[in-house]
Amino acid sequence: METFDKFKIWVLLICLISQLGHGFYLPGSYPHKYIVGDPLSVKVNSLTSIDTEIPYSYYSLPFCQPPEGVKDSAENLGELLMGDRIENSPYRFKMHTNETEIFLCQTKPLSSHECKLLTNRIDEIYQVNLILDNLPAIRYTKRDTYYLRWTGYPIGIKLQDAYYVFNHLKFTVLVHKYEETNVASVMGTGDAADVIPSIGEKKSDVPGYMVVGFEVTPCSIKHSPESLKNLKTYDKYPSKITCEENTVNMAIKENEPVAFSYEVAFVESDIKWPSRWDAYLKMEGSKVHWFSILNSLMVITFLAGIVLVIFLRTVRRDLTHYEELDKETQAQMNEELSGWKLVVADVFRAPSNPSLLCVMVGDGVQILGMAVVTIMFAALGFMSPASRGTLVTGMLIFYMILGILAGYVAVRMWRTIFCGDHKGWVSVSWKVACFFPGIAFLILFTLNFLLWGSHSTGAIPFSLFIVLILLWFCISVPLTFVGGYFGAKAAHIEYPVRTNQIPREIPPQKYPSWLLVLGAGTLPFGTLFIELFFIMSSIWMGRVYYVFGFLFVVLILLTVVCAEVSLVLTYMHLCVEDWKWWWKSFFASGSVALYIFLYSINYLIFDLKSLSGPVSATLYLGYSLLMVLAIMLATGTVGLLSSFWFVHYLFSSVKLD
């Protein structure tokens, strides 16, 4: 019986690991049942461009507005920080009711400013992002023998020095027949507005449908001025409109109006509700993505194993050889010792700027903990791409809660460095609570001035800044002090050896030790550079990132490699009688941030060639700098804590007089 129970446990563990590897997700919202003829409302998100990376409001351009006026949809903190501005639109559908030649509106004659704005946005490759039932509009373009998928559609196109606007949209809504009578069994996260309909809300014998796909084809149509006379919103256009993708007719000209229209067709599909996001997640190059990550994991695991085996054998042989000697031989050997045994009275000497080191380690623990918890929840599907903004919101919540861990680690390390002295723990806790968040606020506030000047929706509203500051000082700071209090009460880690009052002179080195420290970051960088490409593409190229299961594996592997690299370099420094290992162990693994920043510059030059303007480049470098700082603190903390454990274990294993 016990064998059978163990077998079941192993099966469950294997299933869990396999699911983490696939990065499965839960549906983004509850299935909404629509009866034939039920109204469907299309929403609009911010205009986006991979050319500028500066989002703008949809209604900043002369587009048709809803008859009831523009209204903001409910947004969470993460959506606002990501620059999403979801609003209602004039596009109206009726479930499973095909409609053609629907007139929307005719704008006023375009002013010179509006013409210039439209042409600039077309030059900058801005995309219109529409949403139906929480699904972004997707567009297919044929290239040779295959189709490319895009989210959204371009505002217009430039041909032979003339600009054309896409003023007619051909919508295709994929629907699946509603099968379950009780949708409470379908799990999901996301839009709270999509409530679960009760069983008795509508007759069970009435067929219902769920939206499982939303496609759009933009066209440029020149409407006849005579046909537009006396037409009102949602009236039928008097003549047939033929939507041809390869033909453009509506040129943008000053003092001429633009008429907008649309058509919609409903198509029953075999796609089921849980699979409706597959069209967005299965982008081109997915096989390359999977095989590249697996290849990287195998290579780095092999290298890390070699480093670990060599390292353990070297240290163990050194310790075993010393312990096998008798006391007289040990005493004689102590006089002729070389390497790490000579720095026994200096190895635990307090580092320079100990307060700053403790603060950086505390913030690093907080950032690393936030990353681990967030990626775990995302890998389990609680932060699916369908739930906009939940990833960023979750990161903020976890970061604030983990302030208690940051305060505890920083203060306890402070007390350990000063042999149990608890004085100054309040100052250390305060610095931990303000160091990284303060730098982040400074960078974001500076970049926000650029976005405010550009009138972008990516600019964080001033009211949101106030909310973030309140969250910082009302939740994060108090929790950090609570952690610091427990760290001050906890017993400090006692050193296994005593430290002399006079520091030992470090012999001259053949090569600069910091050169070796900076070069150590190449191995951790090798564990994540492939994954980094997909993350950067998700952030800056508008692609959906969803393989959080693999990202979690990469994060674990990165942590292990950072610890191993730092251990090896610390041992090498001690062997050449360099006892100043504290900061070097931190930057040995933290130097991976330098290579990530260089990679970011490389990505800017070669992959974001179309990025235009100093504002866009400054935004990119500013956000990259913030990301690199967070990675440096997290990886540096791993290196320092692992090196501290190693040094403590090493000098506890053998007694030297």
Side-chain angles (χ1 to χ4, degrees):
M1 189 69 182
E2 291 183 5
T3 305
F4 181 70
D5 291 337
K6 290 180 180 179
F7 175 75
K8 289 195 294 183
I9 292 173
W10 277 108
V11 170
L12 287 173
L13 285 174
I14 292 171
C15 291
L16 177 61
I17 293 171
S18 65
Q19 290 295 333
L20 282 175
H22 285 286
F24 70 92
Y25 66 96
L26 299 177
S29 58
Y30 292 108
H32 197 129
K33 176 183 177 181
Y34 296 96
I35 306 301
V36 176
D38 277 359
L40 296 173
S41 298
V42 178
K43 299 178 182 179
V44 292
N45 203 343
S46 300
L47 304 173
T48 55
S49 168
I50 60 172
D51 188 61
T52 65
E53 302 295 348
I54 302 176
Y56 289 100
S57 170
Y58 174 81
Y59 293 108
S60 63
L61 295 180
F63 291 142
C64 299
Q65 298 192 2
E68 68 275 15
V70 179
K71 298 177 182 178
D72 291 332
S73 295
E75 296 168 335
N76 56 44
L77 188 62
E79 283 182 304
L80 292 171
L81 290 174
M82 292 298 291
D84 288 340
R85 295 295 183 272
I86 300 177
E87 300 161 313
N88 59 333
S89 80
Y91 296 102
R92 301 282 189 273
F93 307 153
K94 293 179 181 178
M95 172 54 75
H96 223 299
T97 304
N98 296 342
E99 296 178 289
T100 57
E101 292 94 30
I102 303 299
F103 172 74
L104 205 56
C105 79
Q106 184 178 25
T107 66
K108 297 177 181 178
L110 298 178
S111 64
S112 59
H113 172 71
E114 290 173 331
C115 278
K116 186 176 180 181
L117 198 59
L118 271 172
T119 55
N120 286 343
R121 296 291 179 263
I122 292 173
D123 284 333
E124 293 165 343
I125 323 175
Y126 269 88
Q127 304 278 321
V128 178
N129 299 293
L130 304 177
I131 302 170
L132 176 66
D133 196 44
N134 202 34
L135 279 180
I138 197 168
R139 174 174 57 97
Y140 292 91
T141 57
K142 189 174 183 180
R143 180 176 294 179
D144 298 331
T145 57
Y146 58 92
Y147 285 89
L148 294 177
R149 304 181 185 93
W150 309 86
T151 52
Y153 66 92
I155 295 171
I157 191 172
K158 181 182 179 182
L159 292 174
Q160 299 177 352
D161 297 329
Y163 292 88
Y164 299 88
V165 64
F166 291 126
N167 61 333
H168 180 84
L169 300 180
K170 180 180 180 181
F171 295 106
T172 302
V173 181
L174 305 181
V175 294
H176 186 80
K177 199 163 186 178
Y178 192 81
E179 295 172 350
E180 292 194 34
T181 55
N182 182 12
V183 298
S185 61
V186 182
M187 297 297 294
T189 58
D191 295 348
D194 293 339
V195 296
I196 305 178
S198 60
I199 299 177
E201 186 176 329
K202 292 181 181 177
K203 296 180 180 180
S204 58
D205 57 344
V206 178
Y209 295 91
M210 298 177 293
V211 177
V212 295
F214 184 36
E215 301 172 6
V216 62
T217 302
C219 303
S220 181
I221 304 295
K222 178 69 174 178
H223 295 94
S224 170
E226 296 182 357
S227 301
L228 297 174
K229 291 181 179 179
N230 302 321
L231 282 181
K232 296 180 180 179
T233 304
Y234 306 123
D235 284 349
K236 189 174 179 65
Y237 192 73
S239 58
K240 182 176 177 59
I241 297 177
T242 303
C243 183
E244 297 179 357
E245 295 184 60
N246 299 325
T247 305
V248 290
N249 295 306
M250 188 60 220
I252 299 174
K253 295 181 181 179
E254 190 175 341
N255 296 324
E256 287 191 13
V258 178
F260 291 87
S261 57
Y262 70 94
E263 59 185 277
V264 58
F266 287 82
V267 178
E268 292 196 28
S269 171
D270 293 331
I271 300 173
K272 295 186 177 181
W273 171 267
S275 304
R276 68 178 195 157
W277 271 85
D278 289 356
Y280 304 87
L281 303 182
K282 293 181 179 179
M283 293 296 178
E284 301 300 327
S286 58
K287 290 184 179 179
V288 176
H289 176 83
W290 293 98
F291 285 117
S292 297
I293 292 177
L294 286 173
N295 178 67
S296 177
L297 289 175
M298 288 187 292
V299 171
I300 296 304
T301 303
F302 177 71
L303 292 175
I306 293 176
V307 171
L308 186 62
V309 169
I310 293 175
F311 173 70
L312 289 179
R313 289 188 62 185
T314 302
V315 176
R316 182 170 294 181
R317 186 177 65 246
D318 211 350
L319 287 174
T320 304
H321 173 68
Y322 185 83
E323 290 174 352
E324 287 176 351
L325 301 175
D326 55 33
K327 292 185 178 180
E328 293 183 3
T329 309
Q330 286 185 10
Q332 181 181 359
M333 186 179 178
N334 283 341
E335 298 177 0
E336 303 174 358
L337 283 178
S338 62
W340 59 270
K341 308 172 197 69
L342 289 174
V343 297
V344 61
D346 297 274
V347 69
F348 290 106
R349 190 176 302 281
S352 57
N353 299 315
S355 176
L356 178 61
L357 182 64
C358 294
V359 168
M360 293 176 73
V361 169
D363 280 331
V365 168
Q366 190 175 7
I367 293 169
L368 183 63
M370 174 200 69
V372 171
V373 177
T374 303
I375 294 174
M376 280 185 61
F377 272 88
L380 292 172
F382 293 101
M383 298 176 181
S384 78
S387 305
R388 294 177 185 81
T390 54
L391 188 65
V392 177
T393 305
M395 289 173 64
L396 285 174
I397 293 173
F398 295 140
Y399 182 83
M400 289 186 295
I401 293 174
L402 289 170
I404 191 169
L405 182 62
Y408 176 84
V409 172
V411 171
R412 194 173 183 197
M413 172 162 281
W414 169 265
R415 295 188 64 233
T416 299
I417 290 175
F418 290 98
C419 302
D421 187 5
H422 65 275
K423 293 181 180 179
W425 74 268
V426 175
S427 174
V428 172
S429 299
W430 172 251
K431 291 175 182 176
V432 170
C434 295
F435 180 72
F436 179 73
I439 295 175
F441 264 91
L442 181 63
I443 293 175
L444 291 176
F445 197 73
T446 303
L447 297 179
N448 224 43
F449 271 113
L450 300 176
L451 292 171
W452 275 333
S454 302
H455 304 288
S456 168
T457 58
I460 301 174
F462 184 76
S463 58
L464 184 57
F465 261 113
I466 301 299
V467 171
L468 292 175
I469 292 174
L470 289 175
L471 291 174
W472 179 11
F473 284 99
C474 295
I475 298 178
S476 183
V477 172
L479 287 177
T480 306
F481 274 101
V482 170
Y485 173 79
F486 285 112
K489 292 295 181 182
H492 71 283
I493 302 173
E494 295 185 359
Y495 294 148
V497 294
R498 289 175 296 179
T499 302
N500 288 341
Q501 292 184 353
I502 302 175
R504 178 185 179 87
E505 183 179 354
I506 300 174
Q509 309 297 325
K510 295 181 180 180
Y511 48 86
S513 59
W514 285 103
L515 189 62
L516 191 61
V517 168
L518 293 177
T522 54
L523 189 57
F525 178 73
T527 65
L528 54 77
F529 81 97
I530 294 178
E531 196 67 24
L532 189 62
F533 170 78
F534 289 98
I535 295 174
M536 299 284 279
S537 298
S538 172
I539 297 173
W540 302 107
M541 302 291 285
R543 298 173 185 169
V544 179
Y545 186 87
Y546 65 99
V547 284
F548 291 102
F550 271 111
L551 183 60
F552 185 69
V553 174
V554 170
L555 179 62
I556 294 175
L557 193 58
L558 174 66
T559 303
V560 173
V561 173
C562 284
E564 291 174 348
V565 166
S566 184
L567 291 184
V568 171
L569 257 72
T570 299
Y571 182 72
M572 291 175 63
H573 284 126
L574 294 179
C575 285
V576 295
E577 303 176 34
D578 185 355
W579 47 266
K580 295 183 177 180
W581 58 271
W582 295 86
W583 282 106
K584 291 172 184 175
S585 65
F586 184 92
F587 286 110
S589 53
S591 61
V592 66
L594 172 65
Y595 297 96
I596 293 176
F597 189 71
L598 294 176
Y599 180 84
S600 301
I601 296 175
N602 174 80
Y603 190 85
L604 173 65
I605 296 173
F606 295 102
D607 292 278
L608 294 178
K609 296 177 183 178
S610 60
L611 197 66
S612 61
V615 174
S616 301
T618 304
L619 289 172
Y620 174 85
L621 293 175
Y623 290 128
S624 298
L625 183 63
L626 182 60
M627 176 186 71
V628 163
L629 176 63
I631 292 174
M632 183 197 71
L633 293 174
T635 54
T637 296
V638 172
L640 177 67
L641 294 180
S642 58
S643 291
F644 178 82
W645 169 83
F646 162 69
V647 173
H648 192 279
Y649 172 79
L650 181 64
F651 285 90
S652 299
S653 301
V654 59
K655 293 183 178 180
L656 295 170
D657 294 328

